[in-house]
Amino acid sequence: MAAPSHLLSLFLGLLAGSLLTEATYYRPHRYFPHFIRFREPSAHTDNHLPEVYHPAPRAPHPGVPRHPVIPEVIHPAPEITQTIPEAFHPVPEVVHPAPESYHRSVPEAPAPVNMTISRVFYGVMFDAGSTGTRIHIYKFIQKDPVELPVLDNEMYHAVKPGLSAYKDNPEEGGNTVRQLLKIAKKTVPEEEWKRTPVVLKATAGLRLLPEDKASALLQEVQSVFHESPFFVPHNSVTIMNGTNEGVLAWVTVNFLTGHLYSKTKRTVGILDLGGGSTQITFLPKSKKTIQSAPQSYIAKFDLFNSTYQLYTHSYLGNGLYAARLATLGALGADGLDWKVFTSSCLPKKFREDVTFGGTTYKVSGVPDGYAGYKLCYYEVMKVIKGIVHQPYEVKGSSIFYAFSYYFDRAVESGLIDGSRGGAIEVRDFKKRAKEVCNKMTKYRAISPFLCMDMTYITCLLKEGFGFKENTVLQLAKKVNNVETSWALGATFDYFRNLNIH
């Protein structure tokens, strides 16, 4: 009778060791196999996120009991177990290896090489811009703690006007954020609320406000955050500086186009035109670009064992709405109760009250004067000339993605399809600006400011940054259904400090 008893004990030991190994090292079917993790994107897949890989099932290892939850054969562990790197999420789940005794008692049972499991986590980023507040809710899958996470999806929603419009009523501004948090509660699973960070970064709208009014708005938002069930980090509500805005938008676009997965450092530049400010950021190929640029226009940051040195600058007051007021001579003017600001960029019979940043201006065309592209170009040149630095390298063949109001105005003027975006040349903006300005009556129903906006964009690109007329711009609102803004890059910066300086 002793022999069967020993056989039974041995069988139970084998079964227990096998089950423990499977429970500890179960790897979901979405896991990246080791041999494709460092794959560079091909020329035809630059605009795609890493694809999900589904390994084909293999035959079970001889002598190992087959269990229904094992998705694939796991190779034997090396003699030295590597230390688990810090996971991307601030509170990572670390799966410990099975006790050594189990490996000795069951030598033929396989053990995994990778000691981690896929980690699903969320991040909520608020973009408090000059013309609206947007919420970005990201769902990530961290497949390997030393590599970039996979962005599973984004939930996006926006409300207007921006926080700066509530400069005299911070409580009402806080309510707009409170409404957006309701969307976050519906999107993020309840069990994840306590470890999902909520962060708000304000841009040019609040930068243009007096310090006391901006501070009151930020304090109100902070109070709203603390009412919520989400994790509120230190410094979760701040005004972001212009350099970070450009750098983080660059990170977003190059992550979504797959360039951050490539070791060639072949990247794309970005042009972001907001309401209050505009940014240009790219990775220089020429030392002359760096040497000829003002020192403050060069930013460095670290990302996964690589250091990037970017040309980047944000021009406060040169966003589309601020530029309208500057063209009219209204930005920073007094006597707003009785002054009427006129421009040849507007239809002659146009007259309207325009609100920006919580301030209202009386605006009109020139009733008895002239209107058209040439006069308008002369007016907007005053907003650009001597202000915008021309990087040496933009006259070359660098690829730039342009978004925000570059995209919106190209759609409104019929240059591109709003659902697909597209590639256009700088001269296409110029040609369409002339058409719009010389037929203002036709385009007034779309926007009475379309002539001014298209002319300003043309002037900014040509006379400001110095792009050639045949430079191709890729206009995109989204890449792989994710918004092309700095918000995704800022979420990366929160989870893993990029050390921008």
Side-chain angles (χ1 to χ4, degrees):
M1 299 296 292
S5 174
H6 285 302
L7 288 173
L8 180 59
S9 300
L10 178 59
F11 174 77
L12 292 174
L14 283 167
L15 182 59
S18 174
L19 290 175
L20 179 58
T21 303
E22 291 159 4
T24 305
Y25 301 119
Y26 173 71
R27 297 191 293 180
H29 71 282
R30 293 170 58 92
Y31 196 85
F32 272 125
H34 185 273
F35 63 85
I36 66 164
R37 283 185 203 152
F38 299 98
R39 179 177 58 188
E40 294 182 8
S42 71
H44 301 291
T45 58
D46 278 355
N47 292 336
H48 295 277
L49 290 173
E51 61 194 36
V52 177
Y53 180 81
H54 299 275
R58 302 178 186 174
H61 195 284
V64 179
R66 185 173 179 84
H67 192 276
V69 299
I70 302 178
E72 59 181 290
V73 173
I74 304 174
H75 298 289
E79 293 182 3
I80 301 175
T81 302
Q82 298 296 325
T83 304
I84 302 169
E86 178 188 357
F88 185 82
H89 194 274
V91 188
E93 290 182 1
V94 178
V95 180
H96 298 285
E100 193 177 338
S101 59
Y102 283 100
H103 293 287
R104 285 201 298 265
S105 63
V106 192
E108 63 272 16
V113 172
N114 195 316
M115 300 300 179
T116 61
I117 61 174
S118 293
R119 172 85 165 104
V120 175
F121 61 98
Y122 297 81
V124 179
M125 182 64 63
F126 284 84
D127 170 359
S130 57
T131 58
T133 301
R134 304 108 189 172
I135 186 172
H136 301 259
I137 306 166
Y138 299 111
K139 178 184 177 183
F140 296 100
I141 300 175
Q142 183 68 52
K143 296 180 176 296
D144 190 312
V146 297
E147 294 182 29
L148 284 167
V150 173
L151 176 60
D152 190 64
N153 61 61
E154 175 200 44
M155 170 64 75
Y156 169 83
H157 193 74
V159 294
K160 293 183 177 182
L163 278 181
S164 55
Y166 303 99
K167 61 184 180 181
D168 297 319
N169 188 1
E171 294 81 7
E172 194 59 35
N175 282 335
T176 64
V177 174
R178 193 175 281 112
Q179 294 302 312
L180 291 173
L181 279 170
K182 291 180 180 179
I183 297 173
K185 289 175 68 175
K186 292 178 181 178
T187 305
V188 179
E190 186 173 351
E191 62 271 17
E192 294 289 333
W193 288 353
K194 289 185 179 180
R195 57 183 175 185
T196 297
V198 288
V199 176
L200 180 142
K201 292 184 181 294
T203 56
L206 265 67
R207 287 186 215 132
L208 289 167
L209 288 183
E211 186 176 348
D212 59 331
K213 293 186 180 293
S215 179
L217 282 165
L218 296 180
Q219 288 176 12
E220 183 63 31
V221 172
Q222 188 79 45
S223 299
V224 171
F225 274 7
H226 282 294
E227 293 171 7
S228 79
F230 296 101
F231 171 61
V232 182
H234 177 64
N235 285 337
S236 60
V237 181
T238 58
I239 297 177
M240 182 168 57
N241 67 51
T243 296
N244 284 17
E245 189 173 353
V247 169
L248 296 175
W250 183 92
V251 170
T252 294
V253 172
N254 282 279
F255 173 82
L256 294 175
T257 54
H259 290 91
L260 290 188
Y261 291 92
S262 171
K263 294 184 179 180
T264 63
K265 289 199 174 182
R266 254 185 352 190
T267 60
V268 296
I270 66 101
L271 295 168
D272 187 357
L273 181 60
S277 63
T278 186
Q279 290 78 37
I280 177 172
T281 306
F282 62 94
L283 182 66
K285 298 175 185 175
S286 169
K287 289 183 179 179
K288 188 172 181 179
T289 297
I290 297 173
Q291 293 168 352
S292 62
Q295 188 174 357
S296 61
Y297 287 40
I298 304 300
K300 292 182 181 180
F301 72 96
D302 302 319
L303 181 62
F304 291 92
N305 300 320
S306 293
T307 298
Y308 294 88
Q309 187 176 45
L310 302 181
Y311 175 101
T312 183
H313 192 67
S314 177
Y315 294 89
L316 183 62
N318 284 93
L320 194 71
Y321 282 76
R324 286 178 181 177
L325 297 176
T327 301
L328 288 158
L331 195 63
D334 54 7
L336 302 183
D337 292 336
W338 55 270
K339 274 188 180 178
V340 178
F341 300 96
T342 62
S343 171
S344 300
C345 301
L346 299 172
K348 290 183 179 182
K349 296 181 180 180
F350 172 75
R351 185 180 177 115
E352 196 172 279
D353 287 351
V354 175
T355 300
F356 177 71
T359 302
T360 301
Y361 306 84
K362 292 179 173 62
V363 173
S364 128
V366 184
D368 302 320
Y370 293 95
Y373 177 76
K374 288 186 177 180
L375 288 171
C376 185
Y377 201 86
Y378 174 77
E379 288 184 17
V380 300
M381 269 292 290
K382 295 181 291 184
V383 184
I384 300 295
K385 199 161 182 68
I387 296 172
V388 180
H389 177 259
Q390 293 191 356
Y392 165 75
E393 205 162 312
V394 300
K395 297 182 183 297
S397 58
S398 299
I399 299 173
F400 279 82
Y401 271 64
F403 44 94
S404 299
Y405 285 118
Y406 287 115
F407 178 90
D408 294 342
R409 294 302 174 265
V411 171
E412 289 177 2
S413 62
L415 278 177
I416 59 170
D417 181 273
S419 61
R420 294 193 305 268
I424 66 171
E425 294 182 347
V426 170
R427 71 173 121 227
D428 294 326
F429 271 116
K430 178 181 178 181
K431 181 180 178 182
R432 190 53 53 90
K434 286 183 176 180
E435 293 176 10
V436 172
C437 290
N438 295 331
K439 296 180 181 178
M440 287 193 201
T441 305
K442 174 184 175 182
Y443 288 93
R444 179 172 176 172
I446 299 172
S447 170
F449 286 94
L450 192 57
C451 166
M452 182 183 286
D453 292 347
M454 291 293 287
T455 305
Y456 176 70
I457 288 172
T458 303
C459 192
L460 178 63
L461 293 172
K462 284 173 51 35
E463 311 295 340
F465 297 130
F467 284 105
K468 291 182 178 179
E469 288 201 345
N470 63 351
T471 299
V472 176
L473 303 177
Q474 183 68 43
L475 297 177
K477 182 175 178 62
K478 293 185 177 183
V479 176
N480 282 344
N481 208 33
V482 177
E483 293 285 323
T484 50
S485 79
W486 53 260
L488 179 58
T491 306
F492 285 154
D493 189 29
Y494 166 74
F495 281 122
R496 189 178 291 268
N497 185 12
L498 303 183
N499 192 25
I500 301 170
H501 57 279

